[in-house]
Amino acid sequence: MFSRMMQLVNRTDSVHLTPPQQKDVLDYAKSVPRRFAACRALEAAEDALVERALATAGAADLGWRTAEADVRGLIRAVAVGALIDDPEYAAARWGRHLARTLDFLDAPDAADAVFDALRGAAADLLPPDATDLLAPYFDAVAGTALTPA
């Protein structure tokens, strides 16, 4: 759950970065403005994303009192994952929590429905560049990432 850059630097073990490693760091650095722009778009659309995802997934019938807060947490974890270039961050921070919550409510399949609805809402509501950049981070939460541990 560490960023790709942190892993790369930690692997050097106090040795100077090789030219390919330096290129990776520079490529990441060049991507930071685009990452911030995508995360700002995600933040601006958060209310609409939560509303659409929960309505599309039919979450109102689940008795899930923390639904809105949980989906907001997942959205924000996707943003953090995108900023630190760690696609697994959102699944580790919120995906499993969401799955356990829905499993407790006796609706284990609802986690995938909520996530799919959120991913679809993001594709519809975010600008294309933000959608392209954030897609791998949304995709990483799907499937087994939402299966209760």
Side-chain angles (χ1 to χ4, degrees):
M1 195 168 81
F2 290 109
S3 75
R4 193 170 58 84
M5 291 302 103
M6 181 180 276
Q7 290 174 20
L8 183 146
V9 173
N10 284 340
R11 279 193 308 266
T12 65
D13 197 27
S14 301
V15 176
H16 295 289
L17 296 176
T18 65
Q21 291 169 326
Q22 291 175 25
K23 181 184 180 316
D24 281 350
V25 171
L26 287 171
D27 288 347
Y28 171 76
K30 289 175 189 173
S31 76
V32 170
R34 184 173 174 237
R35 292 172 189 278
F36 275 124
C39 291
R40 281 192 304 271
L42 191 59
E43 179 183 12
E46 184 175 292
D47 290 339
L49 289 168
V50 170
E51 184 179 321
R52 169 118 34 117
L54 292 175
T56 302
D61 301 332
L62 299 177
W64 181 18
R65 291 190 330 245
T66 60
E68 195 172 304
D70 289 346
V71 174
R72 284 183 192 282
L74 183 58
I75 290 168
R76 293 170 185 181
V78 166
V80 170
L83 287 175
I84 65 172
D85 194 17
D86 183 354
E88 301 304 319
Y89 182 85
R93 295 292 291 188
W94 278 96
R96 289 184 187 93
H97 164 75
L98 191 147
R100 282 191 296 269
T101 298
L102 291 166
D103 189 47
F104 177 77
L105 294 173
D106 202 25
D109 295 335
D112 286 329
V114 168
F115 182 74
D116 287 340
L118 178 60
R119 183 171 35 189
D124 291 345
L125 298 172
L126 296 176
D129 192 50
T131 300
D132 290 346
L133 188 137
L134 295 170
Y137 302 93
F138 279 114
D139 291 346
V141 181
T144 59
L146 289 178
T147 302

